[in-house]
Amino acid sequence: FEQLCINFVNEMLQEQFNESVFAAERRLFAAEGVEVEDGSLQSSAERLRLMTRMLQGLDDQCRLGERGSDEEFFQEIGQKHTV
């Protein structure tokens, strides 16, 4: 679980870095009149939102204490996040 959290935060930081740095570079190039190919990066934003919602659901079940269960967590995930 710890490694999952570390990887999740790293992905969030990478997404923020990509959005801020590459957007700034595009603005700089445009201001200088430099034409660049629009090399779009694959965004992780949707996967990060899904993972955030799943971790929130897990946190909700943990807060229920004895009343929370794996089954309820998986049921909630299945109902809210089916693809």
Side-chain angles (χ1 to χ4, degrees), residues 19 22 26 36:
E19 287 184 16
F22 290 114
R26 286 188 190 115
V36 292

Side-chain angles (χ1 to χ4, degrees), residues 42-81:
Q42 184 176 359
S43 175
S44 299
E46 188 58 35
R47 288 184 296 274
L48 289 171
R49 278 192 290 278
L50 175 61
M51 188 65 184
T52 299
R53 290 192 306 262
M54 291 175 71
L55 288 173
Q56 287 170 341
L58 181 59
D59 187 52
D60 291 344
Q61 287 300 310
C62 290
R63 288 175 191 260
L64 291 173
E66 295 290 322
R67 294 176 292 140
S69 70
D70 293 347
E71 292 80 20
E72 285 186 36
F73 171 70
F74 291 125
Q75 189 175 43
E76 178 182 330
I77 295 300
Q79 290 172 355
K80 291 184 179 178
H81 309 295

Side-chain angles (χ1 to χ4, degrees), residues 6-16 44 47-48:
I6 291 168
N7 292 348
F8 177 63
V9 170
N10 283 340
E11 284 297 320
M12 290 178 71
L13 290 170
Q14 185 67 50
E15 183 72 15
Q16 182 178 359
S44 299
R47 288 184 296 274
L48 289 171

Side-chain angles (χ1 to χ4, degrees), residues 16-48:
Q16 182 178 359
F17 173 83
N18 288 347
E19 287 184 16
S20 61
V21 170
F22 290 114
E25 288 294 312
R26 286 188 190 115
R27 286 192 303 273
L28 177 63
F29 289 154
E32 294 178 352
V34 177
E35 291 186 31
V36 292
E37 201 174 303
D38 186 26
S40 60
L41 296 171
Q42 184 176 359
S43 175
S44 299
E46 188 58 35
R47 288 184 296 274
L48 289 171

